Amino acid sequence: MSNTSLAPLPSSDRTDVTARLRDALLGASFSADGLLDLLGAPAYAALARSETVPALRATRGDSPLEALVRLFLLQQPVPHARVAHVLPVQDCLESGWLTRVDGDEVAAVVDVRPYGGPGGEDWFIVSDLGCAVGGAGGIGSHDEGVVLGVGGASTTLAGITVRGPFASALDLGTGSGIQALHAAQHATRVSATDLNPRALHITALTLALSGAPAADLREGSLFEPVGDETFDLIVSNPPFVISPGARLTYRDGGMGGDDLCRTLVQEAGDRLNEGGYAQFLANWQHVEGEDWQDRLRSWVPRGCDAWIVQREVQDVTQYAELWLRDAGDHYADPVEYQARYDAWLDEFEARKVKAVGFGWITLRRSDAELPSVVLEEWPHSVEQPLGDTVRAHFERVDYLREHDDAALLAAHFRLVGEVVQEQVGLPGAEDPEHVVLRQHRGMRRATKVDTVGAGFAGVCDGTLSAGRILDAIAQLVGEDPVLLRDRTPAQIRVLVEQGFIEPAAH
């Protein structure tokens, strides 16, 4: 891969300079909170849409922070004198963070964007100039090997990732290093791989400038750089876009259709330690005459439980238009745009693809005799971060696998916090048509229950066993307790599986 058209990167060996630069940036409040205070919410939000005009207007003053925002975020040259008392300018010039332009001005060589960690950490994400934010607005560069910063996909994956402590973690296809940065907070050893050597260099800069430990950086495709090594956590935001050819390295997988995502998922099982997690964002094809769930089920490797959530589905025209806009092709010559659009539709037609799904794939190595593979469509809003929710899902899978109906009736449960009950029916009716339990945390699920299920969930406080609660309900409603005990475990199982009630110690 040639990166000759891209600018040289700062040295990753000058850790002394990187440490001084970090101190200088934080000293001037160049942080996520500092930016929000300076720019205001509208201009700050506009940056996430790749719109810089509001931020340029908000940084017309002469404060040190305004100068740093213009320099590192907005890629504007700044007079040397304006930052000489804020930054170690000479060191930054010598180590390659800055370059001289137009005599007395300096300019940044890379984009440096403040990023708030989950525990309030002040981190910085390094990326190529003009590439801080991806998405449908376009990134402003088609150079091969370009390295993007943090976009919506990156933060989504970070939010759903199960956090340790783990002995080892692998960030596959690290890009600018955001997943490796998160993993460094809870994994003893972090490895990061990428096909693009420029991405590995930028990851090293991101970790160093954020004050995080260095990672074991390895160049190569998919799992090739790590051989037969195994890990407790594998995360990947791969180049999952299904496109005709691999025109843009940062997003196009280079394999036909959804083969890259399939290969990644199938090969992850052998790289996981027992109890380890592998978590991916992915696209998958909806093929004529094939159920998408069957397609995804065939990807799950032996020995792994899986939870696959389809968050969105786009027909092939919507999908093609999204990624043509992402590449800025809608600004191109109309004839060229039409030719590229045609190429996407030709590719989908040849593969009999009618739509493309996007979502999350989580594997957990259990080596269970009967693995649990849950596939669902969930386009509704959720509450990030979901890492604890993901872990809890697999803990419930283990619990239900180990407890038959008799064991469930003997167990004690409690209603999970922030679950509310809604009764739906005609106004004035004596009894509701149905009762809905709704979560206000995590996946924010809702499930329909009958009056027995609602009554059961309502009194679950860990005091009585499930069987004793059902006996009391049977007496209240005048039903045979044996029959009620016989038919209710299936409903209890659903309430546990979806996280409305949880086992209680007693």
Side-chain angles (χ1 to χ4, degrees):
M1 176 183 296
S2 170
N3 293 323
T4 54
S5 60
L6 295 170
L9 292 170
S11 169
S12 59
D13 298 326
R14 293 293 306 274
T15 54
D16 57 328
V17 175
T18 306
R20 286 202 293 277
L21 176 57
R22 171 178 169 78
D23 289 344
L25 294 175
L26 293 178
S29 297
F30 188 71
S31 62
D33 289 342
L35 277 190
L36 183 58
D37 289 343
L38 171 68
L39 302 178
Y44 187 79
L47 280 177
R49 302 191 299 271
S50 301
E51 296 290 350
T52 57
V53 172
L56 285 167
R57 293 174 61 84
T59 54
R60 290 177 292 191
D62 57 4
S63 72
L65 179 55
E66 286 166 290
L68 294 179
V69 171
R70 283 187 163 253
L71 186 63
F72 286 113
L73 265 187
L74 304 177
Q75 280 93 61
Q76 301 293 308
V78 172
H80 182 290
R82 277 204 62 190
V83 290
H85 64 291
V86 183
L87 297 175
V89 174
Q90 192 57 39
D91 286 340
C92 288
L93 287 166
E94 291 173 3
S95 60
W97 286 96
L98 299 177
T99 186
R100 291 190 186 279
V101 292
D102 297 333
D104 68 337
E105 291 189 321
V106 294
V109 171
V110 287
D111 187 295
V112 176
R113 181 161 300 237
Y115 179 87
E121 301 91 347
D122 286 312
W123 291 343
F124 299 99
I125 308 301
V126 180
S127 63
D128 274 313
L129 294 177
C131 300
V133 179
I139 61 162
S141 176
H142 289 168
D143 288 322
E144 186 180 10
V146 74
V147 179
L148 269 62
V150 177
S154 305
T155 54
T156 294
L157 179 59
I160 67 172
T161 299
V162 176
R163 300 300 170 192
F166 295 125
S168 57
L170 170 64
D171 176 12
L172 192 151
T174 186
S176 60
I178 178 60
Q179 311 304 332
L181 181 55
H182 275 278
Q185 310 308 303
H186 61 84
T188 305
R189 176 174 60 88
V190 176
S191 300
T193 70
D194 208 290
L195 185 62
N196 181 1
R198 188 175 182 86
L200 297 176
H201 191 134
I202 282 181
T203 290
L205 297 175
T206 289
L207 293 171
L209 194 59
S210 298
D216 174 19
L217 304 175
R218 306 190 197 183
E219 182 182 343
S221 177
L222 297 175
F223 289 103
E224 179 269 327
V226 298
D228 295 329
E229 289 181 50
T230 56
F231 301 88
D232 299 318
L233 174 68
I234 298 170
V235 292
S236 183
N237 175 20
F240 52 67
V241 176
I242 300 170
S243 64
R247 188 160 63 100
L248 298 175
T249 309
Y250 71 87
R251 67 165 207 199
D252 300 330
M255 295 185 185
D258 52 15
D259 283 355
L260 182 133
C261 290
R262 175 185 56 78
T263 301
L264 188 59
V265 173
Q266 288 180 335
E267 293 185 355
D270 290 337
R271 292 351 191 264
L272 284 176
N273 294 324
E274 184 179 354
Y277 294 88
Q279 298 186 264
F280 314 102
L281 300 186
N283 275 182
W284 44 80
Q285 298 172 153
H286 285 230
V287 180
E288 287 179 26
E290 176 186 75
D291 188 304
W292 74 268
Q293 295 197 0
D294 292 339
R295 183 180 192 85
L296 271 291
R297 197 173 279 111
S298 74
W299 292 10
V300 177
R302 185 177 305 165
C304 288
D305 298 320
W307 183 19
I308 300 174
V309 182
Q310 180 166 272
R311 295 286 289 157
E312 185 179 0
V313 181
Q314 291 185 316
D315 67 48
V316 290
T317 61
Q318 292 174 310
Y319 188 80
E321 289 161 17
L322 169 69
W323 294 110
L324 287 166
R325 286 197 307 274
D326 171 78
D329 290 331
H330 56 313
Y331 295 128
D333 174 79
V335 175
E336 186 179 344
Y337 175 78
Q338 183 175 337
R340 285 187 170 153
Y341 200 149
D342 262 332
W344 283 72
L345 297 186
D346 286 345
E347 176 86 1
F348 288 133
E349 189 175 315
R351 294 178 176 276
K352 297 185 177 179
V353 175
K354 57 185 180 178
V356 177
F358 166 82
W360 317 328
I361 298 176
T362 300
L363 307 176
R364 197 272 308 258
R365 182 77 191 230
S366 66
D367 293 316
E369 189 174 337
L370 293 174
S372 165
V373 179
V374 175
L375 300 102
E376 61 178 319
E377 194 155 4
W378 192 257
H380 314 293
S381 64
V382 298
E383 183 187 51
Q384 287 274 36
L386 282 167
D388 289 344
T389 299
V390 174
R391 187 197 299 272
H393 167 88
F394 290 99
E395 289 173 349
R396 294 194 297 269
V397 163
D398 286 340
Y399 179 86
L400 291 172
R401 195 155 41 204
E402 294 162 3
H403 288 72
D404 60 14
D405 286 357
L408 280 185
L409 291 173
H412 295 235
F413 298 95
R414 64 169 168 263
L415 191 66
V416 172
E418 296 197 40
V419 171
V420 298
Q421 175 178 306
E422 300 172 358
Q423 297 189 169
V424 182
L426 293 171
E430 187 172 332
D431 296 312
E433 291 177 25
H434 57 262
V435 177
V436 173
L437 299 181
R438 189 178 301 278
Q439 300 168 350
H440 284 278
R441 303 289 301 275
M443 293 293 284
R444 294 178 173 163
R445 295 189 186 280
T447 190
K448 195 183 297 186
V449 292
D450 60 19
T451 52
V452 171
F456 177 85
V459 297
C460 278
D461 61 3
T463 306
L464 298 175
S465 70
R468 292 282 301 278
I469 292 173
L470 291 179
D471 291 343
I473 292 175
Q475 192 170 3
L476 280 173
V477 299
E479 191 167 337
D480 184 334
V482 176
L483 293 177
L484 196 61
R485 278 175 171 255
D486 191 49
R487 69 176 174 86
T488 307
Q491 194 169 182
I492 295 174
R493 207 167 277 278
V494 169
L495 291 174
V496 173
E497 182 183 3
Q498 296 192 353
F500 287 94
I501 59 174
E502 61 187 5
H506 62 280

